[in-house]
Amino acid sequence: MTRTPVNVTVTGAAGQIGYALLFRIASGQLLGADVPVKLRLLEIPQGLKAAEGTAMELDDCAFPLLRGIDITDDPNVAFAGANVALLVGARPRTKGMERGDLLEANGGIFKPQGKAINDHAADDIKVLVVGNPANTNALIAQAAAPDVPAERFTAMTRLDHNRAISQLAKKTGVAVSDIKRLTIWGNHSATQYPDVFHADVAGKNAAEVVNDEAWLADTFIPTVAKRGAAIIEARGASSAASAANAAIDHVHTWVNGTADGDWTSMGIPSDGSYGVPEGIISSFPVTTKDGKYEIVQGLEINEFSRARIDASVQELVEERDAVRALGLI
Ligand SMILES: NC(=O)c1ccc[n+]([C@@H]2O[C@H](COP(=O)([O-])OP(=O)(O)OC[C@H]3O[C@@H](n4cnc5c(N)ncnc54)[C@H](O)[C@@H]3O)[C@@H](O)[C@H]2O)c1
Ligand SMILES: O=C(O)C[C@H](O)C(=O)O
């Protein structure tokens, strides 16, 4: 049976994450080896030529699943009929820029994109925001799309999740596939909280295997939370291939489901679970099935975790209040 191609829109397509992402989408890694895709690349006018170059390279790969590439600088065209939208392009923080300026500049990107999604995307649209500040950019886009179910707007904390798994596997000497049920809570920022208290290492409780709270507090958490900055320092540019990999993982898991007995981390609109104020886009442990996700309920949150979740959530509340004051939501 021939399947109808899935329309995947990628913003910031000419950027470094875009370059690492598009070939993987076109090869079937985002949605599955039997799912044809049409790509819509959104760029600002200055990025269009480079996006055209990437499209030429995509053509040259002769990917059997790739059924077309459109390039545009108009969000209304880019999101027309979109089933999946990866919002990667964002305004980076530059020297001397205050947080309020950054939020305002990104509001100028994510508000119109949210509106274009609202007006033109397919009914089953799923949105992943990668561009920073990812959680609050997702909130801005979501607020501009009142006709799209709020839960379709998500922010990427899968890179943090993968980083935490990798660090924990190294520490405990197991394979990454032996780590299950790790959680990133809160914001994709240095306040995020990678939680191992409910995680398993080769079938045993991770916190018990590690048995070293000082390592968790002083090494593991800061290493994961500041990994993005460490990569910028080492590479002279922010993470790209690993961020693209996490975007692929996020959407693939959302669409295809989590494995039995495991969960993942996604930035999603809070329903008030775990004392996280309703509406902010915060990272939670989630299971996914049939294209939908659910927050894992009933986890006991100890004091160590509570303080750290609350601190990251507080930062998200402040970001929400700032964009509200700017009239962006
Ligand atoms: N959530 C995460 O885990 C995570 C990880 C890594 C990077 N990021 C963020 O992802 C974003 C992109 O990173 P990058 O390295 O690809 O940046 P980049 O600067 O290489 O590329 C960004 C691209 O976006 C384009 N762009 C800017 N405004 C746009 C708009 N309004 N519409 C369409 N395109 C637009 C630019 O022209 C550029 O080509 C940054 O905000 C970065 O901080 C997030
Ligand atoms: O782009 C950044 O500021 C860092 C990025 O969000 C990352 O976590 O690698």
Side-chain angles (χ1 to χ4, degrees), residues 107-190:
I109 296 174
F110 287 86
K111 198 172 172 179
Q113 290 185 1
K115 183 165 183 344
I117 288 169
N118 188 69
D119 295 349
H120 302 291
D123 287 346
D124 67 348
I125 180 71
K126 286 181 166 60
V127 182
L128 167 63
V129 176
V130 175
N132 282 321
N135 300 52
T136 298
N137 286 341
L139 185 65
I140 293 168
Q142 182 218 77
D147 303 332
V148 177
E151 71 271 12
R152 305 284 188 75
F153 285 84
T154 67
M156 191 165 94
T157 53
R158 185 61 173 265
L159 178 54
D160 311 297
H161 182 94
N162 289 345
R163 287 168 171 164
I165 286 179
S166 179
Q167 294 298 320
L168 186 58
K170 264 194 199 148
K171 168 75 174 172
T172 56
V174 301
V176 290
S177 52
D178 286 330
I179 310 278
K180 310 271 188 236
R181 299 199 289 278
L182 189 128
T183 306
I184 304 293
W185 299 92
N187 201 359
H188 172 68
S189 78

Side-chain angles (χ1 to χ4, degrees), residues 12 15-17 42-44 88-90 109 113 130-132 156 188 239:
Q16 46 153 10
I17 294 176
L42 179 67
E43 258 297 343
I44 52 175
V88 179
I109 296 174
Q113 290 185 1
V130 175
N132 282 321
M156 191 165 94
H188 172 68
S239 59

